[in-house]
Amino acid sequence: MVWKPDKGELVSFAHVTCDIFWSFDTVKDAPLPSSVTGKLGGPSQRRLAASTSTAVLNAIYSLRTVSSMISCFAYSKEIRPPDSSITFLWNFLWKVLALTAPSSETGGEIRLAAYEALVFALKALPNAFSPLAVDRLVDANNTLCREVDQKHLLDPLFHAFLRNIDDLLGVGMLARSRRAVLMQWKWCCLDSLLTAPYHMLEKDIHLEGTFPFISPMMLKRVFLDVVDSLEHSGESSVLPILRSIRLILSISFTKKKMLSDSSSIGIDIEMMWKLVRSAWTLYVNCNKRRVAPIAALLSSVLHSSLFNDLGMHQTAGTMQGPLKWFVERILEEGGKSPRTVRLAALHLTGLWLMYPETIKYYMAELKLLTLYGSVAFDEDFEAEILENGEGRREFLSLAQRPDLEFTEEFLNTEMYPRVAVAVLFQKLASLREVSRLVKQNEDACAAFLHGRMFLLELLDSAVNDKYLSKELYKKHSMIHRHKVRAWQMICVLSLFVDESIVEEVTSMLHVCLYRNNLPAVRQFLEIFAIQLYLKFPSKIREQFVPIFQDHNMRPQALSSYVFIAANVILHTTEVSVQLKHLDELLPPIIPLLTSHHHNLRGFTQILVYQVLCKLMPSSVPTNSEAISMEKKCFLCLRSYLQENSDCMRLRSSMEKLLDAYDPIALATPAGLFSSKHEDVAFECAPTSIFEKVINFLNDVREDLRDTMAKNAMIVKNDGLAVAETMKSKDPSFEADNEKLSPQIINDTSFDFQKKITLQKHVTGGNEAYRSDSLHKSLAEMEKEDELLSSMAHSRNSIFEGIRGCRQHFILVASLLDRIPNLAGLARTCEVFKAAGFVVADASIVHDKQFQLISVTAEKWVPIIEVPEYSLKSFLMKKKREGFSLLGLEQTANSIPLDQYSFPKKSVLVLGREKEGIPVDIIHVLDACLEIPQLGVVRSLNVHVSGAIALWEYTRQHRSR
């Protein structure tokens, strides 16, 4: 079916309106409109008279309409545009390229408008290529540019276009900013022209003989022209320039008659240095870091056809190659822009997967991506990819990333760079496994060699690096985060351990296991160790038995070794090896059940029970004489651990985590970066099993302390009741009691040493003690002691009164991590006498910046430590105590703060500085409150918001 415009009116109208472009010499200069007079003007500020501007706009939009229709129908097999419309566009192209230099500013402006219209024509013409169009192009070459070699189909077209642009610039009839507009149309036209060879190949258009599309010399000319203009290009010209570079490189390294049979444009190191320096200058000077230009920059400079050339990464000796230089700077400077690092990680991991041999040059960059994490949240990143056509197009031009479906989930998070690197090395490891089944190849060998190299690099950093090897660091600090990220990657890299490096790897592992590390870090050391010893079971006896025989080892390290040994026993698949491990490892673990260290003892109990349940059937009776005494002991031990109520409570608190624990799955990217757990807010790391044991035991201790305090209160009340009874029966009892009262003050928070009254303890035979002066001095000392004790008691009572008279309001800031906000909120809580201020890490009160802002508020307001992973359980506990759970968050059902009546017992949760309150926390809240806003800015600072809410609570309860 042929699409036909009504009587050809559209093409005829475009043909008539375009006459303005050919008659520019007859158009006389006329006074400019007042809005343009004296201005240089951009694309929409034409330096033309009103009537001429109208004619030019008619011509541009009519041609644009024809071009758009041709582009729409070019991809349809059933509907095709009429030949008259395509012929019109070809004729328009020839006429524009045949225009002579203008002699006036008006002529220059009209010529500039002709190139603007040509942009739309060239976007449509490559899509409409046909054998007939090729014949027309060959005929036009004979008259268009006779001085150019006719052996290459597109050379005369490129030559005529570049020459005419240079002529228009050379006559000096355009103002400076209008020349910039001309350059913008130039790059847009070149971008379209360079796609012509691809469209010809897609449409299977073959030229006679060995007639190639374009010569290497012409491509090199265009390439150098583009690179020269890249550094100083305007914002509107960046995309077409970068796309032109990408197309030139693709054509140069693609066969199928695009170039001469064995030719290329010969891009050498010097040309690449010029390109990367210009590209780097462009990036640094770019204020708006949009997705489209960043993606275009990466895909053009780090082109896949050049990345395989090892000389581009490292030149003779140890000198950096141009691509290595560019990548290093993009990642270092790009740390200020989260989207730059994400897009770079996406593109680079795709290139490294294609060319594993190049990984050896980028160990430092891989480490940087592994440890990368930005607190900045890029709200527009995903929207630019999905909703912006240019952004989507350039995003898809990046190298194909490994495991697209899995990594897609993390694309708009700060975790994406390290997730991409983890998936890359998992794919590289599988590449070697595949090659073993088929045949060895160079890529597989390089992949394994460089994966092993990166593993040793990270382990060396974990042992020797100034920061990664620290033993004393704050929870949720940057060092803590870096340690977690490093060991997550090391777990993935366990796939690259072989016999040649296993001794070196285990040696460094034991150094790290012996050091102090927080549970969130230690769990990944344990996963890595389990992988190693499952892979190399022969190392168990020679390395673990001496460790368990060291009776002075740190309890924390010993807990990890018990956990590793138990899981090696449980997850060994070969029965004979499993029984051997049981025989070697279980006996030295059993004594740890009697350890004085509470956490180690409890942890060992659940692990030993797990091993005994799996490897010793419960059907064997313990009173049978046929079994050995050792086995009876183990059976009785298992029976005790199974039926003891305390042990059962401990196991139930684990929520069957040990049964579901799979160290092999946890060492994969999907296991390490899973979002299925509820407690994975910190670096995608779930709460470790050992940490759950510690939390359980701490809760037990807290319950025990509460019970003891209640019992002490009961005893005290009983004592007071007895004293009242005695006073009613014997009046002298009160006087005696008053004499003793300074000595029986029992305040656990202010316990003074008891003073001895010498006159009651010294015998009367010593004359020195009988002197009047000495008696007088001693009496004065006794009075001073009594006065001091009385003052201390009064002061302590005042302090207790200050602490006790508080509002029933608890402010929860466990989701916050910025010290100024936390310190300001602590000060606010003290000012309004809140019952408690909840933070993720109570040690933050010792920070100098915190103390400077809080002005000693932390000494008066009760500070409650509730880590983020325990926040939900803390809130549920408060709910059971009768508190109402509130959140300060804008939701679909949130209530304006001034319309809400606060319950007397309220807990208010504050969200993260940018992301707000997580969904799983919102679900347990009774209500969400929002502060009514009148301005344009979408939110208040979290400290200010918390202060406003706390004041509103105080105002309401003061008025009641």
Side-chain angles (χ1 to χ4, degrees):
M1 182 172 64
V2 178
W3 170 80
K4 296 181 179 180
D6 187 15
K7 298 181 181 180
E9 289 181 358
L10 182 59
V11 176
S12 300
F13 178 76
H15 183 77
V16 172
T17 57
C18 286
D19 284 344
I20 184 68
F21 297 133
W22 328 132
S23 57
F24 62 84
D25 282 333
T26 62
V27 178
K28 296 181 180 180
D29 288 343
L32 297 177
S34 58
S35 60
V36 180
T37 304
K39 296 182 179 180
L40 296 177
S44 61
Q45 294 178 324
R46 307 176 191 281
R47 296 176 62 81
L48 292 169
S51 58
T52 310
S53 292
T54 302
V56 165
L57 285 172
N58 280 335
I60 292 173
Y61 280 100
S62 62
L63 192 139
R64 183 176 182 176
T65 304
V66 174
S67 302
S68 298
M69 290 185 174
I70 292 175
S71 297
C72 288
F73 295 127
Y75 295 102
S76 174
K77 295 181 179 179
E78 298 180 356
I79 304 175
R80 59 184 179 84
D83 290 339
S84 60
S85 60
I86 299 176
T87 302
F88 166 71
L89 291 186
W90 278 113
N91 291 336
F92 179 80
L93 171 63
W94 310 137
K95 287 184 177 181
V96 172
L97 296 182
L99 291 173
T100 58
S103 57
S104 64
E105 183 180 2
T106 299
E109 280 292 325
I110 295 175
R111 181 91 171 268
L112 176 60
Y115 279 104
E116 181 180 352
L118 185 60
V119 170
F120 302 107
L122 286 176
K123 283 183 179 179
L125 282 175
N127 292 322
F129 259 112
S130 63
L132 180 61
V134 172
D135 293 338
R136 290 176 181 169
L137 190 56
V138 172
D139 293 338
N141 285 344
N142 296 325
T143 57
L144 190 65
C145 196
R146 296 178 179 177
E147 66 270 21
V148 178
D149 188 0
Q150 303 294 313
K151 292 181 179 179
H152 301 87
L153 180 65
L154 298 176
D155 274 19
L157 185 59
F158 276 95
H159 179 78
F161 175 77
L162 294 174
R163 181 192 61 192
N164 282 18
I165 293 287
D166 292 340
D167 289 346
L168 182 54
L169 290 171
V171 295
M173 292 299 172
L174 293 176
R176 178 171 56 83
S177 68
R178 304 301 286 164
R179 292 198 297 271
V181 174
L182 175 63
M183 296 304 293
Q184 177 185 343
W185 304 142
K186 172 185 176 180
W187 305 127
C188 291
C189 290
L190 275 177
D191 179 21
S192 299
L193 284 172
L194 287 167
T195 63
Y198 287 99
H199 289 290
M200 291 183 186
L201 290 176
E202 286 177 5
K203 295 179 180 296
D204 201 24
I205 297 175
H206 298 282
L207 304 181
E208 296 180 3
T210 58
F211 197 47
F213 293 139
I214 189 169
S215 67
M217 186 178 296
M218 181 56 68
L219 266 187
K220 188 171 184 177
R221 174 186 172 185
V222 176
F223 179 79
L224 293 175
D225 191 9
V226 170
V227 172
D228 286 338
S229 304
L230 178 61
E231 185 174 337
H232 305 290
S233 59
E235 184 179 345
S236 56
S237 301
V238 168
L239 280 179
I241 289 180
L242 291 173
R243 280 199 288 258
S244 297
I245 293 173
R246 187 170 65 226
L247 287 166
I248 291 169
L249 293 174
S250 298
I251 293 172
S252 177
F253 290 91
T254 304
K255 303 303 178 183
K256 298 184 180 179
K257 292 188 178 180
M258 285 195 185
L259 295 173
S260 302
D261 290 338
S262 60
S263 302
S264 69
I265 65 174
I267 296 179
D268 54 21
I269 296 293
E270 185 178 348
M271 292 170 65
M272 277 306 299
W273 273 115
K274 189 172 183 180
L275 172 61
V276 297
R277 288 193 174 107
S278 297
W280 174 244
T281 303
L282 172 69
Y283 176 82
V284 172
N285 294 332
C286 181
N287 294 323
K288 297 180 180 179
R289 303 286 167 83
R290 304 290 187 191
V291 169
I294 295 173
L297 183 74
L298 293 169
S299 61
S300 57
V301 178
L302 302 176
H303 197 272
S304 58
S305 61
L306 294 172
F307 209 81
N308 194 31
D309 185 353
L310 300 184
M312 293 293 178
H313 308 283
Q314 182 174 308
T315 55
T318 57
M319 295 291 292
Q320 281 186 339
L323 295 188
K324 163 73 173 175
W325 181 90
F326 182 74
V327 170
E328 184 180 285
R329 276 152 184 76
I330 277 289
L331 292 181
E332 287 179 0
E333 179 69 20
K336 302 172 185 177
S337 168
R339 62 177 53 179
T340 300
V341 177
R342 288 176 204 163
L343 293 171
L346 187 157
H347 188 58
L348 285 169
T349 49
L351 292 173
W352 286 326
L353 184 61
M354 284 192 286
Y355 308 116
E357 185 63 33
T358 61
I359 293 176
K360 62 184 177 184
Y361 302 113
Y362 294 96
M363 291 295 156
E365 286 71 26
L366 283 165
K367 182 179 175 182
L368 188 151
L369 291 174
T370 297
L371 302 180
Y372 175 79
S374 172
V375 296
F377 180 71
D378 193 349
E379 298 178 349
D380 301 326
F381 180 75
E382 197 166 0
E384 280 195 48
I385 294 174
L386 298 176
E387 300 171 10
N388 184 292
E390 293 286 2
R392 183 70 179 169
R393 175 183 174 186
E394 296 304 326
F395 178 78
L396 294 174
S397 71
L398 296 170
Q400 185 65 38
R401 56 191 182 277
D403 202 343
L404 177 62
E405 184 176 350
F406 174 70
T407 55
E408 189 80 28
E409 180 182 350
F410 301 91
L411 186 59
N412 198 27
T413 69
E414 52 90 21
M415 295 173 57
Y416 181 77
R418 56 185 183 276
V419 172
V421 173
V423 172
L424 165 69
F425 280 103
Q426 184 189 37
K427 292 293 183 183
L428 292 176
S430 63
L431 185 65
R432 189 187 188 224
E433 293 301 319
V434 172
S435 70
R436 280 178 176 176
L437 300 176
V438 186
K439 62 178 182 178
Q440 287 282 16
N441 60 67
E442 292 182 4
D443 282 347
C445 292
F448 192 82
L449 178 65
H450 299 137
R452 193 171 62 185
M453 186 187 304
F454 186 47
L455 169 63
L456 293 175
E457 177 81 17
L458 276 184
L459 280 173
D460 181 69
S461 297
V463 174
N464 301 313
D465 184 79
K466 179 180 178 181
Y467 295 101
L468 288 179
S469 62
K470 271 192 174 183
E471 294 191 64
L472 298 177
Y473 52 91
K474 290 183 179 179
K475 192 175 184 179
H476 295 174
S477 65
M478 190 52 67
I479 295 176
H480 189 194
R481 294 179 183 277
H482 280 182
K483 278 176 170 278
V484 169
R485 295 166 190 172
W487 280 102
Q488 283 174 333
M489 191 62 64
I490 290 172
C491 288
V492 176
L493 294 171
S494 61
L495 296 167
F496 295 91
V497 180
D498 61 6
E499 289 287 353
S500 64
I501 64 167
V502 65
E503 289 293 340
E504 183 181 0
V505 169
T506 53
S507 174
M508 290 190 280
L509 171 64
H510 290 307
V511 171
C512 296
L513 280 170
Y514 190 77
R515 288 174 175 166
N516 281 324
N517 273 303
L518 293 174
V521 178
R522 189 165 285 277
Q523 65 176 322
F524 295 112
L525 276 79
E526 293 161 356
I527 292 172
F528 179 65
I530 294 168
Q531 299 300 308
L532 289 185
Y533 291 108
L534 286 176
K535 192 173 183 179
F536 303 98
S538 62
K539 302 295 178 184
I540 284 286
R541 180 179 178 81
E542 63 181 81
Q543 294 184 1
F544 265 67
V545 174
I547 288 170
F548 285 125
Q549 291 174 349
D550 181 2
H551 302 305
N552 295 315
M553 180 170 287
R554 291 177 175 178
Q556 188 191 47
L558 208 49
S559 299
S560 287
Y561 282 116
V562 171
F563 185 74
I564 295 165
N567 277 282
V568 169
I569 295 172
L570 291 170
H571 293 93
T572 298
T573 54
E574 192 174 337
V575 177
S576 60
V577 177
Q578 188 178 51
L579 293 175
K580 184 179 178 182
H581 288 337
L582 183 68
D583 183 60
E584 293 172 347
L585 297 177
L586 189 58
I589 290 176
I590 293 297
L592 300 179
L593 293 169
T594 64
S595 171
H596 73 284
H597 196 274
H598 198 184
N599 296 338
L600 175 59
R601 186 170 67 249
F603 195 47
T604 306
Q605 285 176 1
I606 60 174
L607 291 171
V608 169
Y609 174 76
Q610 204 69 13
V611 172
L612 293 178
C613 281
K614 181 173 182 179
L615 300 180
M616 287 192 173
S618 58
S619 59
V620 180
T622 57
N623 57 358
S624 174
E625 297 181 359
I627 60 176
S628 64
M629 184 182 70
E630 293 83 357
K631 193 165 187 179
K632 283 183 180 180
C633 292
F634 281 123
L635 290 173
C636 290
L637 175 60
R638 187 196 63 192
S639 177
Y640 173 80
L641 295 175
Q642 183 175 1
E643 297 175 10
N644 179 265
S645 59
D646 292 330
C647 295
M648 291 172 65
R649 284 175 58 202
L650 177 59
R651 285 198 305 276
S652 64
S653 69
M654 298 297 102
E655 300 174 353
K656 299 183 179 180
L657 285 176
L658 281 172
D659 294 331
Y661 186 79
D662 185 356
I664 298 174
L666 288 173
T668 63
L672 289 167
F673 304 106
S674 173
S675 59
K676 296 178 182 178
H677 305 287
E678 293 183 358
D679 53 352
V680 293
F682 178 70
E683 297 298 326
C684 224
T687 306
S688 68
I689 295 176
F690 185 62
E691 195 166 4
K692 285 185 176 291
V693 172
I694 293 174
N695 292 338
F696 171 80
L697 296 176
N698 287 339
D699 290 342
V700 171
R701 292 190 193 103
E702 191 64 33
D703 292 342
L704 181 60
R705 290 191 189 100
D706 291 342
T707 303
M708 292 174 65
K710 290 177 181 177
N711 292 339
M713 184 61 66
I714 293 171
V715 171
K716 182 178 179 181
N717 292 336
D718 289 344
L720 291 173
V722 170
E724 289 293 331
T725 304
M726 293 294 294
K727 185 171 67 174
S728 63
K729 293 181 178 180
D730 185 3
S732 64
F733 177 80
E734 184 176 4
D736 294 338
N737 191 44
E738 287 178 358
K739 293 179 182 178
L740 294 173
S741 61
Q743 300 177 24
I744 63 174
I745 295 173
N746 184 18
D747 192 321
T748 56
S749 63
F750 207 92
D751 193 11
F752 280 91
Q753 182 181 6
K754 181 180 178 182
K755 300 298 181 180
I756 298 175
T757 306
L758 292 178
Q759 65 210 40
K760 296 180 182 179
H761 298 276
V762 179
T763 59
N766 193 328
E767 293 297 328
Y769 286 108
R770 294 178 184 174
S771 79
D772 294 338
S773 62
L774 183 58
H775 270 289
K776 186 176 181 180
S777 299
L778 291 174
E780 290 176 355
M781 290 173 62
E782 287 181 18
K783 290 180 181 179
E784 290 176 359
D785 287 346
E786 291 178 3
L787 181 61
L788 176 62
S789 181
S790 177
M791 290 174 61
H793 181 66
S794 300
R795 181 187 176 196
N796 194 51
S797 300
I798 293 170
F799 285 175
E800 287 302 315
I802 293 173
R803 292 193 183 102
C805 184
R806 292 193 168 273
Q807 301 191 90
H808 297 283
F809 184 96
I810 298 174
L811 188 64
V812 178
S814 293
L815 299 173
L816 308 185
D817 55 9
R818 294 184 181 175
I819 292 176
N821 288 337
L822 290 168
L825 287 167
R827 187 172 178 177
T828 303
C829 286
E830 201 287 316
V831 167
F832 294 114
K833 303 192 76 173
F837 179 50
V838 179
V839 295
D841 184 6
S843 64
I844 198 171
V845 300
H846 304 299
D847 186 272
K848 290 183 178 179
Q849 186 184 11
F850 185 96
Q851 294 176 351
L852 184 66
I853 299 172
S854 68
V855 230
T856 73
E858 72 278 2
K859 296 181 180 179
W860 303 103
V861 66
I863 303 293
I864 306 168
E865 181 176 81
V866 179
E868 188 175 338
Y869 57 79
S870 301
L871 180 56
K872 187 182 289 186
S873 59
F874 171 80
L875 294 175
M876 298 308 295
K877 181 181 177 183
K878 289 299 169 185
K879 193 167 189 175
R880 290 192 296 271
E881 293 174 3
F883 282 85
S884 295
L885 305 183
L886 310 173
L888 199 56
E889 182 65 88
Q890 291 178 330
T891 67
N893 300 315
S894 55
I895 305 169
L897 186 64
D898 56 344
Q899 298 177 17
Y900 184 76
S901 179
F902 278 93
K904 184 175 182 181
K905 298 178 73 174
S906 296
V907 174
L908 182 66
V909 181
L910 301 178
R912 296 190 182 97
E913 279 85 349
K914 290 187 178 293
E915 295 90 341
I917 302 176
V919 176
D920 59 327
I921 299 296
I922 289 179
H923 288 165
V924 304
L925 300 178
D926 297 317
C928 282
L929 312 178
E930 66 171 86
I931 299 172
Q933 300 173 30
L934 305 178
V936 178
V937 179
R938 69 184 182 92
S939 64
L940 289 165
N941 173 270
V942 67
H943 168 212
V944 176
S945 300
I948 292 173
L950 184 47
W951 161 244
E952 178 62 22
Y953 170 89
T954 304
R955 185 192 65 78
Q956 290 183 17
H957 286 275
R958 284 184 70 196
S959 62
R960 291 179 184 176

